[in-house]
Amino acid sequence: MIADSTSSASIMRHNVGRVAIGLVGVIVIAAGLYRSYRGVTMDVHHELDLTGLSPTRVAWYRRLGAIGEVGRGIGIGLVGVFLMLSAINYQPSEATGLDGALR
């Protein structure tokens, strides 16, 4: 089932719902920070099968994997920030669906 503006509005109407959305935002931000940390420390070899590659290619795959992890972490972290902001600044009269958010 896809959530629409009415279901998110019904969750956010209650203070407990706003707190829950805010906590989910904090957890998502933590996940984004963890992914970015893995990218910065170049801890990306667990998800790559680098057997049989030359050392030069291994170094390049690790660098590109690190860049991807940092980008993924930033994207995930932004989702968490938006969740937190929506919990803090919620205005029931301004609730819109995905189409309203994209406009």
Side-chain angles (χ1 to χ4, degrees):
M1 180 176 159
I2 298 175
D4 59 3
S5 63
T6 57
S7 62
S8 60
S10 66
I11 292 171
M12 297 281 280
R13 256 187 219 113
H14 309 287
N15 285 336
V16 175
R18 291 177 64 185
V19 170
I21 297 294
L23 287 175
V24 169
V26 169
I27 292 168
V28 171
I29 289 171
L33 289 172
Y34 172 71
R35 286 296 212 178
S36 293
Y37 171 77
R38 284 188 55 195
V40 169
T41 60
M42 296 186 71
D43 181 23
V44 296
H45 62 279
H46 303 292
E47 298 168 3
L48 299 172
D49 182 17
L50 303 175
T51 56
L53 295 177
S54 69
T56 304
R57 285 193 178 208
V58 169
W60 275 104
Y61 277 106
R62 288 189 67 184
R63 288 181 195 130
L64 292 173
I67 292 169
E69 277 297 307
V70 170
R72 183 184 300 173
I74 290 170
I76 292 170
L78 284 174
V79 169
V81 167
F82 292 139
L83 284 170
M84 283 186 52
L85 287 175
S86 68
I88 293 168
N89 299 323
Y90 177 66
Q91 297 294 325
S93 60
E94 296 177 10
T96 63
L98 181 60
D99 60 335
L102 292 175
R103 273 189 247 136

